[in-house]
Amino acid sequence: MRLAVVGLGIGAVHAQVMARMQQVDLVGVCDLDAALATRVADECGTRAYTDFATMLEEASPEGVSLCTNPKTHLPLGQELAQRGIHVLCEKPMAPTVDQCLALCEACEQANVTLMIAQKKRFTPAAAFLKEHVGGDFGKPVSLNYRYHPGQVPKHWFWQEDDGGGPILENAVHTFDTLRYIIGEITAIRGIGGNFITGEYPEQIDIALGLLQFQGGCIGAVELGTATEWCVADEEFFLACEKAIVRWRGGFDRPSEILYVYRDAQEPKTFTIDYDGAAGTREFEAEIANFVECAQTGATPFVTGRDAARSIACCLGLKRAVREGIVVELG
């Protein structure tokens, strides 16, 4: 399948992975930074562009990985849909739920595949929990998830109408992972504020949330940019009726899962290797799923309407913090 990438931040990783995939013909990469576009194109054996429309006309991709900043996802995605081009859209899908739904409608009307790149669903850690929670681990009861990236000195990241700060741009991974493993979130309480990012005083940089899930599970999340990249990590603890389980490791790379069945009292471990090509396997898995769905019409692992619910959770936590209320999610 002929694919292209626009936006070469995380998009550079998309391009590098695509260049290695047999089922993909990487026909172009695009970025406003000409030097960056040229460097990535040279690394991946493809052509560099600095103009989106020119790339679409000259490279004729069948699908595009949309890795630009979030506020551009709707207009660029609509243009792709109008041209009959399938869309792999990086998270967060858009700054608002309305924009998410507008992108869904554009792609549905054009009969093109829209998939959201929530890569953590494709990690071995998420797959392990998905396999056991509700099965031999029993029903989930309570959880605690700490997910802190380091500092992000990019203006768009902190704008409410764009990246939305870490409680949208990064925490969307937390909410998507929890929804995937545990189920839908029905209510959110929160406290937080702007504690360490004084240059963006209106944006929430750290928040704690209390969650109620549809199946009765309760949870607490610790989110924002409280740490620094040199020590950034994550930890997820989940108590189920028949077992307890914990994953932890580097940020976005939980490498150790420890679990105990309540009736055995014997700790077991499951380790995950991120060396070499294994470090980008979640990207390869999501791109492969996108290609398959675009070619066959199958439903993507993460649809636009599914991803919009995770956006609603992020915005719900921000609203709970700012207004001091319990936010109910329909």
PDB file of all heavy atoms in Angstrom, residues 75-88:
ATOM      1  N   PRO A  75      -8.825  19.716   9.697  1.00  0.00           N
ATOM      2  CA  PRO A  75      -8.778  20.210   8.311  1.00  0.00           C
ATOM      3  C   PRO A  75      -7.958  19.335   7.376  1.00  0.00           C
ATOM      4  O   PRO A  75      -8.364  19.103   6.230  1.00  0.00           O
ATOM      5  CB  PRO A  75      -8.182  21.618   8.450  1.00  0.00           C
ATOM      6  CG  PRO A  75      -7.508  21.643   9.776  1.00  0.00           C
ATOM      7  CD  PRO A  75      -8.296  20.725  10.645  1.00  0.00           C
ATOM      8  N   LEU A  76      -6.819  18.848   7.840  1.00  0.00           N
ATOM      9  CA  LEU A  76      -6.012  17.985   6.978  1.00  0.00           C
ATOM     10  C   LEU A  76      -6.699  16.642   6.749  1.00  0.00           C
ATOM     11  O   LEU A  76      -6.681  16.097   5.633  1.00  0.00           O
ATOM     12  CB  LEU A  76      -4.629  17.771   7.585  1.00  0.00           C
ATOM     13  CG  LEU A  76      -3.727  19.010   7.687  1.00  0.00           C
ATOM     14  CD1 LEU A  76      -2.372  18.637   8.274  1.00  0.00           C
ATOM     15  CD2 LEU A  76      -3.560  19.696   6.339  1.00  0.00           C
ATOM     16  N   GLY A  77      -7.315  16.097   7.787  1.00  0.00           N
ATOM     17  CA  GLY A  77      -8.035  14.839   7.644  1.00  0.00           C
ATOM     18  C   GLY A  77      -9.224  14.961   6.705  1.00  0.00           C
ATOM     19  O   GLY A  77      -9.507  14.054   5.914  1.00  0.00           O
ATOM     20  N   GLN A  78      -9.922  16.088   6.772  1.00  0.00           N
ATOM     21  CA  GLN A  78     -11.041  16.317   5.860  1.00  0.00           C
ATOM     22  C   GLN A  78     -10.557  16.387   4.411  1.00  0.00           C
ATOM     23  O   GLN A  78     -11.208  15.851   3.508  1.00  0.00           O
ATOM     24  CB  GLN A  78     -11.773  17.609   6.233  1.00  0.00           C
ATOM     25  CG  GLN A  78     -12.607  17.490   7.499  1.00  0.00           C
ATOM     26  CD  GLN A  78     -13.192  18.815   7.939  1.00  0.00           C
ATOM     27  OE1 GLN A  78     -12.551  19.869   7.814  1.00  0.00           O
ATOM     28  NE2 GLN A  78     -14.405  18.783   8.468  1.00  0.00           N
ATOM     29  N   GLU A  79      -9.430  17.042   4.206  1.00  0.00           N
ATOM     30  CA  GLU A  79      -8.883  17.116   2.851  1.00  0.00           C
ATOM     31  C   GLU A  79      -8.498  15.739   2.334  1.00  0.00           C
ATOM     32  O   GLU A  79      -8.774  15.397   1.176  1.00  0.00           O
ATOM     33  CB  GLU A  79      -7.668  18.048   2.801  1.00  0.00           C
ATOM     34  CG  GLU A  79      -7.088  18.201   1.403  1.00  0.00           C
ATOM     35  CD  GLU A  79      -5.986  19.231   1.294  1.00  0.00           C
ATOM     36  OE1 GLU A  79      -5.777  19.985   2.273  1.00  0.00           O
ATOM     37  OE2 GLU A  79      -5.326  19.267   0.238  1.00  0.00           O
ATOM     38  N   LEU A  80      -7.895  14.922   3.194  1.00  0.00           N
ATOM     39  CA  LEU A  80      -7.541  13.573   2.789  1.00  0.00           C
ATOM     40  C   LEU A  80      -8.794  12.770   2.440  1.00  0.00           C
ATOM     41  O   LEU A  80      -8.835  12.058   1.431  1.00  0.00           O
ATOM     42  CB  LEU A  80      -6.767  12.880   3.906  1.00  0.00           C
ATOM     43  CG  LEU A  80      -5.354  13.414   4.173  1.00  0.00           C
ATOM     44  CD1 LEU A  80      -4.786  12.805   5.452  1.00  0.00           C
ATOM     45  CD2 LEU A  80      -4.425  13.134   2.990  1.00  0.00           C
ATOM     46  N   ALA A  81      -9.813  12.873   3.285  1.00  0.00           N
ATOM     47  CA  ALA A  81     -11.047  12.129   3.039  1.00  0.00           C
ATOM     48  C   ALA A  81     -11.682  12.541   1.714  1.00  0.00           C
ATOM     49  O   ALA A  81     -12.142  11.692   0.943  1.00  0.00           O
ATOM     50  CB  ALA A  81     -12.024  12.350   4.196  1.00  0.00           C
ATOM     51  N   GLN A  82     -11.705  13.836   1.437  1.00  0.00           N
ATOM     52  CA  GLN A  82     -12.278  14.326   0.192  1.00  0.00           C
ATOM     53  C   GLN A  82     -11.551  13.776  -1.030  1.00  0.00           C
ATOM     54  O   GLN A  82     -12.140  13.605  -2.096  1.00  0.00           O
ATOM     55  CB  GLN A  82     -12.257  15.852   0.173  1.00  0.00           C
ATOM     56  CG  GLN A  82     -13.233  16.489   1.145  1.00  0.00           C
ATOM     57  CD  GLN A  82     -13.000  17.972   1.353  1.00  0.00           C
ATOM     58  OE1 GLN A  82     -12.139  18.575   0.701  1.00  0.00           O
ATOM     59  NE2 GLN A  82     -13.773  18.577   2.238  1.00  0.00           N
ATOM     60  N   ARG A  83     -10.268  13.478  -0.869  1.00  0.00           N
ATOM     61  CA  ARG A  83      -9.470  12.919  -1.963  1.00  0.00           C
ATOM     62  C   ARG A  83      -9.524  11.395  -1.995  1.00  0.00           C
ATOM     63  O   ARG A  83      -8.874  10.768  -2.826  1.00  0.00           O
ATOM     64  CB  ARG A  83      -8.007  13.366  -1.816  1.00  0.00           C
ATOM     65  CG  ARG A  83      -7.756  14.854  -2.051  1.00  0.00           C
ATOM     66  CD  ARG A  83      -6.329  15.211  -1.699  1.00  0.00           C
ATOM     67  NE  ARG A  83      -5.987  16.597  -1.952  1.00  0.00           N
ATOM     68  CZ  ARG A  83      -5.304  17.039  -3.015  1.00  0.00           C
ATOM     69  NH1 ARG A  83      -4.892  16.165  -3.931  1.00  0.00           N
ATOM     70  NH2 ARG A  83      -5.025  18.315  -3.165  1.00  0.00           N
ATOM     71  N   GLY A  84     -10.281  10.785  -1.078  1.00  0.00           N
ATOM     72  CA  GLY A  84     -10.383   9.346  -1.035  1.00  0.00           C
ATOM     73  C   GLY A  84      -9.168   8.665  -0.441  1.00  0.00           C
ATOM     74  O   GLY A  84      -8.908   7.486  -0.724  1.00  0.00           O
ATOM     75  N   ILE A  85      -8.423   9.371   0.408  1.00  0.00           N
ATOM     76  CA  ILE A  85      -7.194   8.852   1.006  1.00  0.00           C
ATOM     77  C   ILE A  85      -7.468   8.427   2.443  1.00  0.00           C
ATOM     78  O   ILE A  85      -8.044   9.182   3.227  1.00  0.00           O
ATOM     79  CB  ILE A  85      -6.079   9.919   0.961  1.00  0.00           C
ATOM     80  CG1 ILE A  85      -5.755  10.290  -0.494  1.00  0.00           C
ATOM     81  CG2 ILE A  85      -4.816   9.424   1.670  1.00  0.00           C
ATOM     82  CD1 ILE A  85      -4.819  11.475  -0.633  1.00  0.00           C
ATOM     83  N   HIS A  86      -7.054   7.217   2.794  1.00  0.00           N
ATOM     84  CA  HIS A  86      -7.246   6.694   4.142  1.00  0.00           C
ATOM     85  C   HIS A  86      -6.367   7.448   5.146  1.00  0.00           C
ATOM     86  O   HIS A  86      -5.268   7.909   4.805  1.00  0.00           O
ATOM     87  CB  HIS A  86      -6.938   5.206   4.174  1.00  0.00           C
ATOM     88  CG  HIS A  86      -7.754   4.412   3.190  1.00  0.00           C
ATOM     89  ND1 HIS A  86      -9.085   4.128   3.398  1.00  0.00           N
ATOM     90  CD2 HIS A  86      -7.422   3.856   1.989  1.00  0.00           C
ATOM     91  CE1 HIS A  86      -9.549   3.427   2.378  1.00  0.00           C
ATOM     92  NE2 HIS A  86      -8.563   3.246   1.507  1.00  0.00           N
ATOM     93  N   VAL A  87      -6.847   7.542   6.399  1.00  0.00           N
ATOM     94  CA  VAL A  87      -6.210   8.405   7.404  1.00  0.00           C
ATOM     95  C   VAL A  87      -5.798   7.612   8.642  1.00  0.00           C
ATOM     96  O   VAL A  87      -6.644   6.999   9.309  1.00  0.00           O
ATOM     97  CB  VAL A  87      -7.160   9.548   7.835  1.00  0.00           C
ATOM     98  CG1 VAL A  87      -6.458  10.463   8.839  1.00  0.00           C
ATOM     99  CG2 VAL A  87      -7.652  10.332   6.631  1.00  0.00           C
ATOM    100  N   LEU A  88      -4.507   7.620   8.939  1.00  0.00           N
ATOM    101  CA  LEU A  88      -3.988   7.151  10.227  1.00  0.00           C
ATOM    102  C   LEU A  88      -3.618   8.394  11.017  1.00  0.00           C
ATOM    103  O   LEU A  88      -2.648   9.082  10.689  1.00  0.00           O
ATOM    104  CB  LEU A  88      -2.763   6.248  10.040  1.00  0.00           C
ATOM    105  CG  LEU A  88      -2.052   5.789  11.321  1.00  0.00           C
ATOM    106  CD1 LEU A  88      -2.983   4.973  12.202  1.00  0.00           C
ATOM    107  CD2 LEU A  88      -0.791   4.990  10.996  1.00  0.00           C
TER     108      LEU A  88
END
